[in-house]
Amino acid sequence: MVRLTEIKLPLDHSEDAIASAILKKLQIAPADLLSYSIFKRSYDARKKEAIVLVYIVDVETTQEKSLLQRFKKDPHIIPTPDMSYRMVAQAPDNLASRPIVIGTGPCGMFAGLLLAQMGFRPILLERGKAVRDRTVDTFAFWKKKDELNPESNAQFGEGGAGTFSDGKLYSQVKDSNHYGRKVLTELVQSGASPEILYINKPHIGTFKLVGIVQSIRARIEALGGEIRFQSRVEDLHIEAGQVQGVTLASGEYIASSHIVLAVGHSARDTFQMLFDRGVYIEAKPFSIGFRVEHPQTLIDRCRFGDRSGHKLLGAADYKLVHHCQNGRSVYSFCMCPGGLVVAAASEPGRLVTNGMSQYSRNERNANSAIVVGITPDDYPGHPLAGIALQRRLEERAFELGGGTYDAPGQLVGDFLADRPSNTLGTVQPSYTPGVQLGDLSLSLPDYAIAAIREALPAFDKQINGFAMPDAVLTGVETRTSSPIRIKRKEDYQSLNTKGLYPAGEGAGYAGGILSAGIDGIKVAEAVALNILQ
Ligand SMILES: Cc1cc2nc3c(=O)[nH]c(=O)nc-3n(C[C@H](O)[C@H](O)[C@H](O)COP(=O)(O)OP(=O)(O)OC[C@H]3O[C@@H](n4cnc5c(N)ncnc54)[C@H](O)[C@@H]3O)c2cc1C
């Protein structure tokens, strides 16, 4: 197969335009083009009046050898790389002890799936409920029909933190082994649309994710794995620097000398337990800020002009960065086109926001987190000090929202003018349970407020209307990534605890669904190879 990159075609190109472009580029006769498949489709919208689709295609041709020779100096015509995944190990029939995976977020699920595919029959332990029951609890909380359930919410339960999300599936991690392709392929086999394999910035959307998560569970079980819900790991047993097993909240002890720790960034009680048991943990940078909501039409117009609404473009996204005079950087994070701001709390009396979308991305508002990078210099002294800061900010937000999980909010115009808001304008916030307008400058440290105040007008220069007075801010965003890193060695085991494999976002090794899934695969391989040693 021959891979051709940079095939640019107009947005409304005809069906046979790709084949014609291939023939033209390769200078071959139609009979020599046996077939082609689209490897990637993106768009270039830098010129709004002339948006183009950009394709990477894999071509099957009778002329492969001669073409690769003829175009050997052309970086846009190369042999199609082999991206298929091969298992690194196979479990023996007499497997002495089954590996444990703590957590069933994307990291734990992919670690579990890979271990199951290699025959290691993993035991997955999840503190929350199965995804359908979890959905009932979470949606009841959002609709004020039930209290926050600290074990079953937007963070905890089958599928992990990203289950009620936009399901964006892209990441910037280096991936020379094509693990990302393996993650996407498994998601398609579990019910995701095959388009996630070739669209440049794919997303799945909340309701589809629920079904996919169930399907991955069924596949792990069919391969001999076991998934236990409402099974919070409360203690880790370590002897002479080697893990021996875990104790669950029920008191049950499960022995294993290979334990994947994929607990996500919100497992604060678990981090404390690990720290108390002497597992090496250090503080790491993360970010804090607000969600901002604009009309999606404003973002679409700015990015796509007259082509807004085109079905191949979908709802527009954005990515913004501003380096401030006080040395801080402010950036947009987890942008959800046509989405909703959601209550992502997992601890009573503490409030935190996040964003999600359905596959259709057709809600009226665009939202993203506008956050300021902070480092351990801002919370010095203790490896878990970042968690203490998160908690203080989340408690403050809870109070400012009126103590009912309504989020504190403010209009952008008022925030910039340093006056409290008391009435909404044209933008209706989407956060449920509800929004209490007031003064968000009370919710974050002064340096963060100053940085966001400087960044919003700067963002307005990139997206005309970004600082529109009626845009709504809701607070607070504190869980952009883990405030700790549970350091591991090159063999993926903890720096000082053999047999413990810190993984995914909570351990500081991933920052989204795709990268967490990739990390799960890497760790599963390490576990398998170490068991076989
Ligand atoms: C609302 C929302 C929207 C998001 N949107 C996106 C998006 O569109 N795209 C994207 O890439 N990322 C998104 N993210 C981030 C993404 O979800 C995370 O990066 C990802 O889920 C991290 O995966 P993980 O497996 O490392 O941890 P998690 O997904 O957090 O999973 C950890 C799991 O461990 C369980 N657990 C914790 N402690 C214990 C214990 N002691 N015992 C047993 N089980 C335990 C938890 O219940 C949880 O299920 C979003 C997050 C949220 C909250």
Side-chain angles (χ1 to χ4, degrees), residues 412-459:
V412 163
D414 292 332
F415 176 73
L416 292 176
D418 197 7
R419 60 172 179 247
S421 293
N422 44 40
T423 351
L424 288 169
T426 50
V427 180
Q428 293 297 311
S430 61
Y431 174 98
T432 55
V435 172
Q436 294 294 326
L437 290 177
D439 183 359
L440 272 181
S441 70
L442 305 171
S443 67
L444 294 180
D446 290 347
Y447 62 76
I449 297 298
I452 296 174
R453 281 209 176 111
E454 184 184 317
L456 290 171
F459 291 160

Side-chain angles (χ1 to χ4, degrees), residues 360-374:
S360 56
R361 287 180 165 170
N362 63 3
E363 298 290 340
R364 63 180 180 261
N365 290 348
N367 76 70
S368 75
I370 299 296
V371 291
V372 186
I374 59 174

Side-chain angles (χ1 to χ4, degrees), residues 118-139:
M118 291 185 280
F120 287 91
R121 299 189 295 113
I123 302 169
L124 278 69
L125 302 171
E126 169 55 54
R127 70 193 294 161
K129 297 183 183 175
V131 68
R132 291 275 165 206
D133 298 335
R134 175 190 180 194
T135 307
V136 172
D137 293 341
T138 308
F139 282 53

Side-chain angles (χ1 to χ4, degrees), residues 268-335:
R268 295 166 174 173
D269 49 356
T270 311
F271 297 149
Q272 183 67 54
M273 175 275 286
L274 293 165
F275 180 78
D276 294 343
R277 291 281 167 253
V279 174
Y280 181 84
I281 297 179
E282 60 185 32
K284 80 171 238 323
F286 63 103
S287 301
I288 54 174
F290 306 129
R291 278 271 145 185
V292 66
E293 286 188 270
H294 299 92
Q296 180 63 44
T297 47
L298 181 141
I299 310 297
D300 289 345
R301 278 252 127 222
C302 184
R303 294 283 326 277
F304 300 148
D306 291 343
R307 306 315 306 266
S308 298
H310 192 285
K311 67 176 189 318
L312 292 187
L313 297 175
D317 65 359
Y318 57 78
K319 198 169 180 204
L320 302 163
V321 185
H322 176 70
H323 302 291
C324 299
Q325 281 171 1
N326 68 2
R328 304 277 172 178
S329 290
V330 178
Y331 59 98
S332 62
F333 174 77
C334 188
M335 198 263 151

Side-chain angles (χ1 to χ4, degrees), residues 238 240-244 257-258 489 491 493-501 533:
I238 306 169
Q242 161 73 54
V243 290
Q244 307 292 329
S257 43
H258 295 277
K489 295 187 286 186
D491 65 0
Q493 297 183 70
S494 146
L495 214 54
N496 68 347
T497 311
K498 213 165 176 297
L500 182 70
Y501 300 77
Q533 253 178 20

Side-chain angles (χ1 to χ4, degrees), residues 102-109 125-128 134 142 151 154-170 231-234 262-267 269-270 273 334-336 342 344 354-356 503-506 510-517:
I102 311 176
T104 63
C107 180
M109 281 227 150
L125 302 171
E126 169 55 54
R127 70 193 294 161
R134 175 190 180 194
W142 288 351
E151 297 297 321
Q155 308 288 351
F156 294 158
E158 187 181 21
T163 305
F164 311 121
S165 80
D166 181 42
K168 283 177 280 296
L169 294 172
Y170 32 96
S231 298
R232 187 177 72 242
V233 170
E234 232 172 39
V263 293
H265 59 29
S266 292
D269 49 356
T270 311
M273 175 275 286
C334 188
M335 198 263 151
C336 296
V342 296
N354 211 307
M356 75 170 203
E505 181 151 31
I513 296 170
L514 187 61
S515 59

